[in-house]
Amino acid sequence: MRFFNTAGPVNCQDHYCLPPLTRFDLPEILTLLSQKKYFVLHAPRQSGKTSCLLALREYLNNSGEYRSLYINVETAQAARDDVENGVRSIIVEINKRMDQSPVFTGLGVVTADLWDNTNAYSVLNIVLSRLASIDNKPLVLLIDEIDALVGDTLISVLRQIRSGYDSRPVHFPSSIILCGVRDVRDYRIHSDKDKAIITGGSAFNIKAESLRLGNFTEEETGILLLEHTKETGQVFEEGALAAVWNLTRGQPWLVNALAYEVCFKIEEGRNRSNPISESLVIKAKERLIQRRETHLDQLVDKLQEERVRRVIEPILTGEMFEKNFRPDDISYLVDLGLIIQEQGGALAIANPIYQEIIPRELSYTAQSGMALKSVWYIGEDGRIRVNDLLLSFQQFFREHSESWTDIAQYKEAAPQLLLQAFLQRIINGGGQIIREYGLGRGRTDLFILWHLPDGTYQRFVIECKMVHGSREVTISKGLVQVTKYADRCGAEEVYLLIFDRDKNKSWDEKIFTETIEHQGRMVAVFGM
């Protein structure tokens, strides 16, 4: 039977899939090809780019109007600034792909003897020229993983393509599509040869368009999931369909990974007589995060980059660090799929799974070093004694925050990350933390669902705010915000944490606890 694919291109005979050619605007692409344009198709990793390129190659070759060749140049990444070996590996890839295609079989002769008479800085241009000149059908070259190339190898490839542009379509590919994670304009290429940084826009100034492959829509997400129902009869409940969409926002790998986990790995989901419920989807989500699948691991690795930190940290804290925002940083994170830029320019983490995993991973080292046990804070009735838990955190923060902040990369977000690490250590296995944060909110909101022995939940909210101006004004704003949040979540217990980063104040001045009534709710306030 078919299954949800989480590795490599989609094959609709083996995998549940959306027809790849429906993922982009095919008429627009055909128009660009008819106009002999060179353009870019980019999208975050594991979004379906390769599947779409392979489908486009087959479509074009079957049309009889074009000859289309797909190549993947990722193997040349290891060459880095070694242009000769980088270009040689690309030409080997061209030969291999021609041998595999009935349209090009037996044409390997186009590369014969070139290395004897031509240097690496022009040989790719000559190969493409010979390949385009074989017959009168326009050649469309699809280059995948172009931004995997590094340094002078990437510069040479882009410039060799550019130098043949004026010879198209008779003596050079009529159209070339460059495909990767980023738009070519965002390339910042360190040239060892020129001892300079070369921008992609200057090395490849013949780009006509930059097309982005988007996520699944909510409708497409549902269509993909219902492929499983058609094949097995196993039903997704409405709540489960909504949960998959809400957690992933249509990110293709996340949709497939979540669906595969719930339908093929969780024992209850493998029984086809059981419907897929919302609770099973939530369980699958937690298992994916804890296992740190490759896709999520790559995401976490990007968080260590300085240009990523400059954008993510203000989003985590809810604060506006306007002087640090750079347009190329924002476009880079959008291309990576880490954030989305909403109408009006507002920035947000791309989906709730990323929103959960980012603070978890950034606080992982702190969480690992905490000698905490949930039983210390659980009463005989199974409820968490939240007040005692936050008093313990208050003391922990007093003792350890300065030393942890000194070694943390995300220093401005250190208080929120330490709190989440502390809570995660206690909540793991018995509950769920739902995080809400975003640029300009001025706070971080946490909603905790704790499972009780009778099958019900203990619901409480914790809001974190940084002191700006006076403590009293900060508390006043926080009371309004946290009570609104508690009403929305249906929480019975409400807690407000106030972090004071003023180094001139002593801990005795910062540490306090009080309970304040606001709009009929009792709010426990902890200062630190």
Side-chain angles (χ1 to χ4, degrees), residues 38 121-126 156-168 171-172 203-206:
Y38 285 19
Y121 293 94
S122 59
V123 67
L124 179 62
N125 178 285
I126 295 174
S156 178
V157 168
L158 293 177
R159 286 178 171 166
Q160 289 191 59
I161 292 173
R162 185 179 68 179
S163 68
Y165 182 74
D166 65 308
S167 301
R168 75 194 199 294
H171 300 296
F172 212 68
F204 196 76
N205 58 5
I206 53 176

Side-chain angles (χ1 to χ4, degrees), residues 206-217:
I206 53 176
K207 180 195 76 171
E209 294 281 350
S210 179
L211 308 180
R212 192 174 191 275
L213 188 65
N215 288 341
F216 298 153
T217 64

